[in-house]
Amino acid sequence: MAGFAAKCAGSPPPGRPFLGSSVRLGSADRWERVLGEERDAAGRDRPVISLSPSAEFPPLSAQDVEALHRLGEHWRAADEVRALPVDPELRPARPGATHTRAPDEEFRPDQPGELTATPTAELPDTLLGRVAVRARRVLLGRPLSSKAILRERMRKIVALPVLASDLLSSVAYGPEALLTVLVLAGSATLGLSLPIAAALVVLMLAVGASYRQTVRAYPHGAGSYLVASASLGPRTGLTAAAGLILDYVLTVSVSVAAGIAAIASALPAAAPLSVPLSLAVIGALLAGNLRGIRVAGNIFAAPTYLFLVAVGGMTLVGLAQAAARGFAVVPPPHVPATEALSVLLIARAFASGATSMTGIEAVSNAVPAFRPTEWRNARTVLTWMVSLLIFLFAGLMVLIHLNGLVPRADETLLSQLAHRTFPEGPWYAIVQAATALVLLLAANTAYNDLPRLLYFMARDGYVPRRFLHMGDRLALSNGLVALSVSAAVILTAFGGRTQSLIPLFAVGVFLAFTLSQVGMVNHWRRQRGSGWRRRAAVNAFGAALSSIVLVSAAVTKFVEGAWVVVVAVPTLVLTCLGIRRHYDRVRQALSLRPARPPSPDRARELAQEFLPQRVRHMFVVPVARFDKAALRALTYVVSLGQPSLAVHVSPEDQEADRLREEWTAWGDHIRLETVVSPHREILEPLAQYIAQLYDRSPGITLTVVVPEVVVERPWQRILHSQIERRLRRSLRRLPGVVITSMPKHLSEARARTAR
């Protein structure tokens, strides 16, 4: 018992070593815990969260280990020590062995009873498979060892462009979204843009300060999903997660569409190709992120810094030019009003301008991706991000107002401002190129955060567990692919139009903001540590402002497309709850201990169910014709010394009679049962016959051994019936029926013929 518990914990057991050996695929020397507990400043437990390739298979609980120990006691009477016909440690083979590779090329001895697979062992056997693996390695790089995850962390100088690209690039379309709504009341109302911008700056400060506290309170992961789940309950956490999922998918769609729009402003000929170009950019982003977080950070850092220099420099030059003329305001061109100025219109403009804050939560989601000390470095980067955002947003809004610019269908506001600031020289082209690049790569923030969110949700059982899997480069590949496909579908459906996507954008963003900050208020109220009232007040202020934007966006943009998010969020929550219920049922069904303590009789019955000596076998061999494939399966079955039966399904009596005659000539060593199918159906009568056998004696384990012809080329498979797979689909509902196959290789037969 102690030995097994030690093995589960990852340390060698005391006393005698374990019998048997384990093979691991490059496992790490040590791991951070996937989910543990640590004490916070107030002495309370809080979760410790990090990524691990082993997250799908956590260690057994102490109760499960105890149940396993009790079950193992019943096995002792059935234990038989038998010599293995092959050395499991793969020591050098005897001379003349057919294995062509030296064992240490595939598996390297690590310690007694344990081998480590080398890259050679991970290559497929087929030529096509090996070509695919090598092509993937050329595209993505050589696979990283699992222990390299501890080194895949970001420095602050790399984390800033990786995590801030979405936030900072949003100033390229946020101000334009604000003015596009405001100008509906005519150019005379554009003066309201500065008060609205000032209110948005206050919102940025409040939300930024709130997330700084969130990062400190949850130093091992502070996304809205985790905070809301811990403080407000799992359903609220799922609501926040649904908003984040929509946020990240739309981040990719909006950023890429805005980047292509920036290119089209400078090169109008590219406008008709906006959707294909957008899809190509999404493909490039996917390939870059599949290479790993550190490599992706190094690739995508330069464009963000170029954008900061270009747009920041344009802002400073523009302010200097405005100061030289005494900050005189250039009158905007006349735009007729199509709507009356109202509180509702102002609220719509405020909600649209608030999209300049998208991505502000990226740092809190990615705290574990920083180098130690994680939370301190994350807060530093968050402070830089918010400061840069306020400078760029406020500066651009002031310059747009001073220059009298209005939104135009053929050119973005940023392009107009660059033309006005740099009427000659290469600077306009530099600003447009930097803007296009950062908009295209702003989606990288979503590529960094959404797979991590799906990982945590999969760990909790709310999304498929495949999102726990890491690829060759320790990237959460399934999450990256799901994000790319979803964004590509949405972008194509909306024809690459940024303004059509933004109404969907704001609701999901601020839903997550609001729930995260409300969760933080509840967090401080529960802890009641030093200064908790001040911290709770900061988060409450941020929650109040975020909720105002949320309600404004949902109400004012409902008809424009926000209804999609209003419908999608509860749909996603219900879907996640359904997935969780399924996993709960699976876990209960597979658990080593029942949900409730069983009665003594039931406990003995459960123990008997898993005793090897209590298993009753019967083997069934479907025989289509008497040939080498069938004979090989029959030979295998007879060698096991268990009750056996052969079954032949025939479309007519004459064929059945012919096979019985051949069977008698062979010697009738196994009972043969023939089934005549007058309507020429073969599979269904065979499946029904096997099901009837099982129903007559449900206590037996019925193993169906299907003779299988293994062809030499993949295309040749379509020339054969693949009855094993079809039979497995038909009989999978029966718990005591096992479907397997006995292969007969054509390449083996040809080699013998050649000799």
Side-chain angles (χ1 to χ4, degrees), residues 406-435:
V406 297
R408 287 166 43 187
D410 60 339
E411 188 177 10
T412 63
L413 274 176
L414 202 61
S415 174
Q416 295 180 52
L417 184 59
H419 263 136
R420 188 71 59 88
T421 307
F422 303 116
E424 56 185 22
W427 301 110
Y428 169 78
I430 292 174
V431 171
Q432 283 300 98
T435 302

PDB file of all heavy atoms in Angstrom, residues 406-435:
ATOM      1  N   VAL A 406     -13.059  63.080 -39.749  1.00  0.00           N
ATOM      2  CA  VAL A 406     -14.288  62.304 -39.584  1.00  0.00           C
ATOM      3  C   VAL A 406     -14.103  60.954 -40.266  1.00  0.00           C
ATOM      4  O   VAL A 406     -13.293  60.818 -41.195  1.00  0.00           O
ATOM      5  CB  VAL A 406     -15.512  63.028 -40.182  1.00  0.00           C
ATOM      6  CG1 VAL A 406     -15.778  64.337 -39.458  1.00  0.00           C
ATOM      7  CG2 VAL A 406     -15.315  63.278 -41.675  1.00  0.00           C
ATOM      8  N   PRO A 407     -14.833  59.936 -39.807  1.00  0.00           N
ATOM      9  CA  PRO A 407     -14.691  58.609 -40.437  1.00  0.00           C
ATOM     10  C   PRO A 407     -15.100  58.634 -41.900  1.00  0.00           C
ATOM     11  O   PRO A 407     -16.067  59.297 -42.292  1.00  0.00           O
ATOM     12  CB  PRO A 407     -15.638  57.733 -39.608  1.00  0.00           C
ATOM     13  CG  PRO A 407     -15.794  58.437 -38.306  1.00  0.00           C
ATOM     14  CD  PRO A 407     -15.701  59.895 -38.631  1.00  0.00           C
ATOM     15  N   ARG A 408     -14.345  57.899 -42.721  1.00  0.00           N
ATOM     16  CA  ARG A 408     -14.632  57.776 -44.150  1.00  0.00           C
ATOM     17  C   ARG A 408     -14.631  56.308 -44.526  1.00  0.00           C
ATOM     18  O   ARG A 408     -13.934  55.486 -43.911  1.00  0.00           O
ATOM     19  CB  ARG A 408     -13.571  58.512 -44.980  1.00  0.00           C
ATOM     20  CG  ARG A 408     -13.698  60.026 -44.903  1.00  0.00           C
ATOM     21  CD  ARG A 408     -12.447  60.719 -45.442  1.00  0.00           C
ATOM     22  NE  ARG A 408     -11.944  60.105 -46.675  1.00  0.00           N
ATOM     23  CZ  ARG A 408     -10.780  60.460 -47.250  1.00  0.00           C
ATOM     24  NH1 ARG A 408     -10.031  61.425 -46.685  1.00  0.00           N
ATOM     25  NH2 ARG A 408     -10.394  59.884 -48.343  1.00  0.00           N
ATOM     26  N   ALA A 409     -15.415  55.973 -45.555  1.00  0.00           N
ATOM     27  CA  ALA A 409     -15.534  54.571 -45.951  1.00  0.00           C
ATOM     28  C   ALA A 409     -14.274  54.069 -46.654  1.00  0.00           C
ATOM     29  O   ALA A 409     -13.967  52.885 -46.615  1.00  0.00           O
ATOM     30  CB  ALA A 409     -16.746  54.382 -46.863  1.00  0.00           C
ATOM     31  N   ASP A 410     -13.547  54.988 -47.316  1.00  0.00           N
ATOM     32  CA  ASP A 410     -12.406  54.565 -48.123  1.00  0.00           C
ATOM     33  C   ASP A 410     -11.070  54.690 -47.421  1.00  0.00           C
ATOM     34  O   ASP A 410     -10.041  54.289 -47.980  1.00  0.00           O
ATOM     35  CB  ASP A 410     -12.367  55.385 -49.421  1.00  0.00           C
ATOM     36  CG  ASP A 410     -12.227  56.879 -49.151  1.00  0.00           C
ATOM     37  OD1 ASP A 410     -12.566  57.305 -48.021  1.00  0.00           O
ATOM     38  OD2 ASP A 410     -11.770  57.603 -50.057  1.00  0.00           O
ATOM     39  N   GLU A 411     -11.028  55.241 -46.215  1.00  0.00           N
ATOM     40  CA  GLU A 411      -9.747  55.420 -45.525  1.00  0.00           C
ATOM     41  C   GLU A 411      -9.993  55.470 -44.018  1.00  0.00           C
ATOM     42  O   GLU A 411     -10.930  56.118 -43.543  1.00  0.00           O
ATOM     43  CB  GLU A 411      -9.071  56.716 -45.983  1.00  0.00           C
ATOM     44  CG  GLU A 411      -7.642  56.867 -45.461  1.00  0.00           C
ATOM     45  CD  GLU A 411      -6.958  58.120 -45.992  1.00  0.00           C
ATOM     46  OE1 GLU A 411      -7.658  58.952 -46.611  1.00  0.00           O
ATOM     47  OE2 GLU A 411      -5.738  58.259 -45.795  1.00  0.00           O
ATOM     48  N   THR A 412      -9.133  54.789 -43.277  1.00  0.00           N
ATOM     49  CA  THR A 412      -9.285  54.770 -41.822  1.00  0.00           C
ATOM     50  C   THR A 412      -8.874  56.111 -41.237  1.00  0.00           C
ATOM     51  O   THR A 412      -8.124  56.887 -41.844  1.00  0.00           O
ATOM     52  CB  THR A 412      -8.428  53.658 -41.206  1.00  0.00           C
ATOM     53  OG1 THR A 412      -7.044  53.930 -41.462  1.00  0.00           O
ATOM     54  CG2 THR A 412      -8.790  52.289 -41.782  1.00  0.00           C
ATOM     55  N   LEU A 413      -9.346  56.381 -40.018  1.00  0.00           N
ATOM     56  CA  LEU A 413      -8.981  57.632 -39.341  1.00  0.00           C
ATOM     57  C   LEU A 413      -7.489  57.697 -39.079  1.00  0.00           C
ATOM     58  O   LEU A 413      -6.871  58.767 -39.177  1.00  0.00           O
ATOM     59  CB  LEU A 413      -9.741  57.733 -38.011  1.00  0.00           C
ATOM     60  CG  LEU A 413     -11.143  58.342 -38.067  1.00  0.00           C
ATOM     61  CD1 LEU A 413     -11.794  58.290 -36.702  1.00  0.00           C
ATOM     62  CD2 LEU A 413     -11.078  59.781 -38.568  1.00  0.00           C
ATOM     63  N   LEU A 414      -6.892  56.561 -38.729  1.00  0.00           N
ATOM     64  CA  LEU A 414      -5.453  56.571 -38.452  1.00  0.00           C
ATOM     65  C   LEU A 414      -4.674  56.918 -39.710  1.00  0.00           C
ATOM     66  O   LEU A 414      -3.662  57.639 -39.655  1.00  0.00           O
ATOM     67  CB  LEU A 414      -5.026  55.207 -37.899  1.00  0.00           C
ATOM     68  CG  LEU A 414      -3.736  55.184 -37.077  1.00  0.00           C
ATOM     69  CD1 LEU A 414      -3.855  56.071 -35.848  1.00  0.00           C
ATOM     70  CD2 LEU A 414      -3.398  53.754 -36.664  1.00  0.00           C
ATOM     71  N   SER A 415      -5.137  56.410 -40.860  1.00  0.00           N
ATOM     72  CA  SER A 415      -4.475  56.742 -42.116  1.00  0.00           C
ATOM     73  C   SER A 415      -4.632  58.236 -42.435  1.00  0.00           C
ATOM     74  O   SER A 415      -3.667  58.895 -42.869  1.00  0.00           O
ATOM     75  CB  SER A 415      -5.066  55.895 -43.247  1.00  0.00           C
ATOM     76  OG  SER A 415      -4.547  56.298 -44.498  1.00  0.00           O
ATOM     77  N   GLN A 416      -5.820  58.796 -42.199  1.00  0.00           N
ATOM     78  CA  GLN A 416      -6.022  60.233 -42.420  1.00  0.00           C
ATOM     79  C   GLN A 416      -5.104  61.066 -41.534  1.00  0.00           C
ATOM     80  O   GLN A 416      -4.501  62.060 -41.983  1.00  0.00           O
ATOM     81  CB  GLN A 416      -7.477  60.605 -42.135  1.00  0.00           C
ATOM     82  CG  GLN A 416      -8.499  59.980 -43.066  1.00  0.00           C
ATOM     83  CD  GLN A 416      -9.907  60.403 -42.715  1.00  0.00           C
ATOM     84  OE1 GLN A 416     -10.203  61.599 -42.580  1.00  0.00           O
ATOM     85  NE2 GLN A 416     -10.796  59.423 -42.545  1.00  0.00           N
ATOM     86  N   LEU A 417      -4.996  60.661 -40.263  1.00  0.00           N
ATOM     87  CA  LEU A 417      -4.150  61.395 -39.333  1.00  0.00           C
ATOM     88  C   LEU A 417      -2.686  61.305 -39.730  1.00  0.00           C
ATOM     89  O   LEU A 417      -1.941  62.303 -39.651  1.00  0.00           O
ATOM     90  CB  LEU A 417      -4.354  60.861 -37.914  1.00  0.00           C
ATOM     91  CG  LEU A 417      -3.606  61.597 -36.799  1.00  0.00           C
ATOM     92  CD1 LEU A 417      -4.016  63.073 -36.751  1.00  0.00           C
ATOM     93  CD2 LEU A 417      -3.861  60.928 -35.456  1.00  0.00           C
ATOM     94  N   ALA A 418      -2.258  60.139 -40.189  1.00  0.00           N
ATOM     95  CA  ALA A 418      -0.872  60.000 -40.636  1.00  0.00           C
ATOM     96  C   ALA A 418      -0.604  60.859 -41.860  1.00  0.00           C
ATOM     97  O   ALA A 418       0.467  61.478 -41.987  1.00  0.00           O
ATOM     98  CB  ALA A 418      -0.564  58.529 -40.931  1.00  0.00           C
ATOM     99  N   HIS A 419      -1.572  60.926 -42.792  1.00  0.00           N
ATOM    100  CA  HIS A 419      -1.425  61.792 -43.957  1.00  0.00           C
ATOM    101  C   HIS A 419      -1.318  63.262 -43.538  1.00  0.00           C
ATOM    102  O   HIS A 419      -0.509  64.023 -44.074  1.00  0.00           O
ATOM    103  CB  HIS A 419      -2.633  61.624 -44.895  1.00  0.00           C
ATOM    104  CG  HIS A 419      -2.390  60.681 -46.025  1.00  0.00           C
ATOM    105  ND1 HIS A 419      -3.301  59.729 -46.422  1.00  0.00           N
ATOM    106  CD2 HIS A 419      -1.323  60.539 -46.855  1.00  0.00           C
ATOM    107  CE1 HIS A 419      -2.811  59.040 -47.441  1.00  0.00           C
ATOM    108  NE2 HIS A 419      -1.615  59.519 -47.731  1.00  0.00           N
ATOM    109  N   ARG A 420      -2.139  63.660 -42.568  1.00  0.00           N
ATOM    110  CA  ARG A 420      -2.135  65.047 -42.121  1.00  0.00           C
ATOM    111  C   ARG A 420      -0.847  65.376 -41.372  1.00  0.00           C
ATOM    112  O   ARG A 420      -0.296  66.473 -41.518  1.00  0.00           O
ATOM    113  CB  ARG A 420      -3.352  65.285 -41.221  1.00  0.00           C
ATOM    114  CG  ARG A 420      -3.583  66.741 -40.835  1.00  0.00           C
ATOM    115  CD  ARG A 420      -4.074  67.564 -42.018  1.00  0.00           C
ATOM    116  NE  ARG A 420      -5.323  67.039 -42.580  1.00  0.00           N
ATOM    117  CZ  ARG A 420      -6.536  67.386 -42.159  1.00  0.00           C
ATOM    118  NH1 ARG A 420      -6.669  68.250 -41.156  1.00  0.00           N
ATOM    119  NH2 ARG A 420      -7.603  66.892 -42.746  1.00  0.00           N
ATOM    120  N   THR A 421      -0.354  64.434 -40.577  1.00  0.00           N
ATOM    121  CA  THR A 421       0.854  64.684 -39.772  1.00  0.00           C
ATOM    122  C   THR A 421       2.111  64.621 -40.623  1.00  0.00           C
ATOM    123  O   THR A 421       3.045  65.406 -40.433  1.00  0.00           O
ATOM    124  CB  THR A 421       0.938  63.660 -38.620  1.00  0.00           C
ATOM    125  OG1 THR A 421      -0.295  63.669 -37.893  1.00  0.00           O
ATOM    126  CG2 THR A 421       2.088  63.989 -37.681  1.00  0.00           C
ATOM    127  N   PHE A 422       2.159  63.657 -41.534  1.00  0.00           N
ATOM    128  CA  PHE A 422       3.347  63.472 -42.385  1.00  0.00           C
ATOM    129  C   PHE A 422       2.923  63.602 -43.857  1.00  0.00           C
ATOM    130  O   PHE A 422       2.751  62.592 -44.554  1.00  0.00           O
ATOM    131  CB  PHE A 422       3.983  62.101 -42.137  1.00  0.00           C
ATOM    132  CG  PHE A 422       4.367  61.848 -40.710  1.00  0.00           C
ATOM    133  CD1 PHE A 422       3.751  60.839 -39.978  1.00  0.00           C
ATOM    134  CD2 PHE A 422       5.345  62.618 -40.090  1.00  0.00           C
ATOM    135  CE1 PHE A 422       4.113  60.588 -38.669  1.00  0.00           C
ATOM    136  CE2 PHE A 422       5.705  62.374 -38.776  1.00  0.00           C
ATOM    137  CZ  PHE A 422       5.085  61.374 -38.063  1.00  0.00           C
ATOM    138  N   PRO A 423       2.757  64.829 -44.336  1.00  0.00           N
ATOM    139  CA  PRO A 423       2.305  64.999 -45.725  1.00  0.00           C
ATOM    140  C   PRO A 423       3.331  64.563 -46.751  1.00  0.00           C
ATOM    141  O   PRO A 423       2.984  64.355 -47.919  1.00  0.00           O
ATOM    142  CB  PRO A 423       2.031  66.500 -45.829  1.00  0.00           C
ATOM    143  CG  PRO A 423       2.866  67.122 -44.757  1.00  0.00           C
ATOM    144  CD  PRO A 423       2.943  66.128 -43.654  1.00  0.00           C
ATOM    145  N   GLU A 424       4.572  64.417 -46.365  1.00  0.00           N
ATOM    146  CA  GLU A 424       5.596  63.975 -47.305  1.00  0.00           C
ATOM    147  C   GLU A 424       6.624  63.143 -46.552  1.00  0.00           C
ATOM    148  O   GLU A 424       6.667  63.140 -45.312  1.00  0.00           O
ATOM    149  CB  GLU A 424       6.275  65.169 -47.976  1.00  0.00           C
ATOM    150  CG  GLU A 424       6.881  66.167 -46.998  1.00  0.00           C
ATOM    151  CD  GLU A 424       7.430  67.398 -47.698  1.00  0.00           C
ATOM    152  OE1 GLU A 424       7.006  67.689 -48.838  1.00  0.00           O
ATOM    153  OE2 GLU A 424       8.285  68.058 -47.085  1.00  0.00           O
ATOM    154  N   GLY A 425       7.444  62.413 -47.302  1.00  0.00           N
ATOM    155  CA  GLY A 425       8.448  61.570 -46.694  1.00  0.00           C
ATOM    156  C   GLY A 425       7.922  60.152 -46.470  1.00  0.00           C
ATOM    157  O   GLY A 425       6.760  59.827 -46.772  1.00  0.00           O
ATOM    158  N   PRO A 426       8.771  59.294 -45.926  1.00  0.00           N
ATOM    159  CA  PRO A 426       8.397  57.879 -45.778  1.00  0.00           C
ATOM    160  C   PRO A 426       7.574  57.588 -44.518  1.00  0.00           C
ATOM    161  O   PRO A 426       7.183  56.438 -44.302  1.00  0.00           O
ATOM    162  CB  PRO A 426       9.764  57.193 -45.677  1.00  0.00           C
ATOM    163  CG  PRO A 426      10.630  58.200 -44.993  1.00  0.00           C
ATOM    164  CD  PRO A 426      10.156  59.558 -45.489  1.00  0.00           C
ATOM    165  N   TRP A 427       7.305  58.604 -43.691  1.00  0.00           N
ATOM    166  CA  TRP A 427       6.728  58.319 -42.378  1.00  0.00           C
ATOM    167  C   TRP A 427       5.297  57.798 -42.474  1.00  0.00           C
ATOM    168  O   TRP A 427       4.884  56.970 -41.658  1.00  0.00           O
ATOM    169  CB  TRP A 427       6.783  59.579 -41.517  1.00  0.00           C
ATOM    170  CG  TRP A 427       8.189  60.067 -41.346  1.00  0.00           C
ATOM    171  CD1 TRP A 427       8.748  61.184 -41.873  1.00  0.00           C
ATOM    172  CD2 TRP A 427       9.221  59.395 -40.615  1.00  0.00           C
ATOM    173  NE1 TRP A 427      10.068  61.282 -41.526  1.00  0.00           N
ATOM    174  CE2 TRP A 427      10.387  60.180 -40.742  1.00  0.00           C
ATOM    175  CE3 TRP A 427       9.291  58.220 -39.883  1.00  0.00           C
ATOM    176  CZ2 TRP A 427      11.590  59.824 -40.159  1.00  0.00           C
ATOM    177  CZ3 TRP A 427      10.491  57.864 -39.295  1.00  0.00           C
ATOM    178  CH2 TRP A 427      11.626  58.663 -39.436  1.00  0.00           C
ATOM    179  N   TYR A 428       4.534  58.304 -43.453  1.00  0.00           N
ATOM    180  CA  TYR A 428       3.174  57.786 -43.602  1.00  0.00           C
ATOM    181  C   TYR A 428       3.196  56.287 -43.885  1.00  0.00           C
ATOM    182  O   TYR A 428       2.436  55.506 -43.282  1.00  0.00           O
ATOM    183  CB  TYR A 428       2.433  58.511 -44.727  1.00  0.00           C
ATOM    184  CG  TYR A 428       1.131  57.830 -45.101  1.00  0.00           C
ATOM    185  CD1 TYR A 428      -0.001  57.998 -44.311  1.00  0.00           C
ATOM    186  CD2 TYR A 428       1.046  57.019 -46.236  1.00  0.00           C
ATOM    187  CE1 TYR A 428      -1.194  57.362 -44.639  1.00  0.00           C
ATOM    188  CE2 TYR A 428      -0.139  56.387 -46.571  1.00  0.00           C
ATOM    189  CZ  TYR A 428      -1.262  56.551 -45.775  1.00  0.00           C
ATOM    190  OH  TYR A 428      -2.426  55.917 -46.097  1.00  0.00           O
ATOM    191  N   ALA A 429       4.058  55.872 -44.787  1.00  0.00           N
ATOM    192  CA  ALA A 429       4.153  54.444 -45.114  1.00  0.00           C
ATOM    193  C   ALA A 429       4.585  53.640 -43.902  1.00  0.00           C
ATOM    194  O   ALA A 429       4.108  52.513 -43.675  1.00  0.00           O
ATOM    195  CB  ALA A 429       5.127  54.242 -46.278  1.00  0.00           C
ATOM    196  N   ILE A 430       5.487  54.184 -43.087  1.00  0.00           N
ATOM    197  CA  ILE A 430       5.947  53.467 -41.898  1.00  0.00           C
ATOM    198  C   ILE A 430       4.801  53.294 -40.901  1.00  0.00           C
ATOM    199  O   ILE A 430       4.604  52.217 -40.327  1.00  0.00           O
ATOM    200  CB  ILE A 430       7.134  54.222 -41.253  1.00  0.00           C
ATOM    201  CG1 ILE A 430       8.356  54.164 -42.181  1.00  0.00           C
ATOM    202  CG2 ILE A 430       7.460  53.629 -39.890  1.00  0.00           C
ATOM    203  CD1 ILE A 430       9.531  54.989 -41.697  1.00  0.00           C
ATOM    204  N   VAL A 431       4.031  54.384 -40.696  1.00  0.00           N
ATOM    205  CA  VAL A 431       2.902  54.291 -39.763  1.00  0.00           C
ATOM    206  C   VAL A 431       1.891  53.274 -40.254  1.00  0.00           C
ATOM    207  O   VAL A 431       1.397  52.434 -39.475  1.00  0.00           O
ATOM    208  CB  VAL A 431       2.244  55.674 -39.582  1.00  0.00           C
ATOM    209  CG1 VAL A 431       0.933  55.547 -38.798  1.00  0.00           C
ATOM    210  CG2 VAL A 431       3.185  56.626 -38.871  1.00  0.00           C
ATOM    211  N   GLN A 432       1.562  53.289 -41.527  1.00  0.00           N
ATOM    212  CA  GLN A 432       0.572  52.358 -42.052  1.00  0.00           C
ATOM    213  C   GLN A 432       1.085  50.915 -41.993  1.00  0.00           C
ATOM    214  O   GLN A 432       0.338  49.997 -41.652  1.00  0.00           O
ATOM    215  CB  GLN A 432       0.205  52.726 -43.491  1.00  0.00           C
ATOM    216  CG  GLN A 432      -0.738  53.909 -43.592  1.00  0.00           C
ATOM    217  CD  GLN A 432      -2.051  53.662 -42.880  1.00  0.00           C
ATOM    218  OE1 GLN A 432      -2.229  54.096 -41.740  1.00  0.00           O
ATOM    219  NE2 GLN A 432      -2.964  52.955 -43.519  1.00  0.00           N
ATOM    220  N   ALA A 433       2.354  50.730 -42.316  1.00  0.00           N
ATOM    221  CA  ALA A 433       2.914  49.376 -42.262  1.00  0.00           C
ATOM    222  C   ALA A 433       2.926  48.859 -40.832  1.00  0.00           C
ATOM    223  O   ALA A 433       2.569  47.699 -40.564  1.00  0.00           O
ATOM    224  CB  ALA A 433       4.323  49.375 -42.858  1.00  0.00           C
ATOM    225  N   ALA A 434       3.346  49.717 -39.891  1.00  0.00           N
ATOM    226  CA  ALA A 434       3.373  49.298 -38.485  1.00  0.00           C
ATOM    227  C   ALA A 434       1.971  49.004 -37.978  1.00  0.00           C
ATOM    228  O   ALA A 434       1.750  48.037 -37.227  1.00  0.00           O
ATOM    229  CB  ALA A 434       4.034  50.386 -37.644  1.00  0.00           C
ATOM    230  N   THR A 435       1.003  49.847 -38.380  1.00  0.00           N
ATOM    231  CA  THR A 435      -0.383  49.631 -37.948  1.00  0.00           C
ATOM    232  C   THR A 435      -0.927  48.325 -38.503  1.00  0.00           C
ATOM    233  O   THR A 435      -1.569  47.537 -37.775  1.00  0.00           O
ATOM    234  CB  THR A 435      -1.265  50.798 -38.397  1.00  0.00           C
ATOM    235  OG1 THR A 435      -0.754  52.015 -37.860  1.00  0.00           O
ATOM    236  CG2 THR A 435      -2.696  50.603 -37.922  1.00  0.00           C
TER     237      THR A 435
END
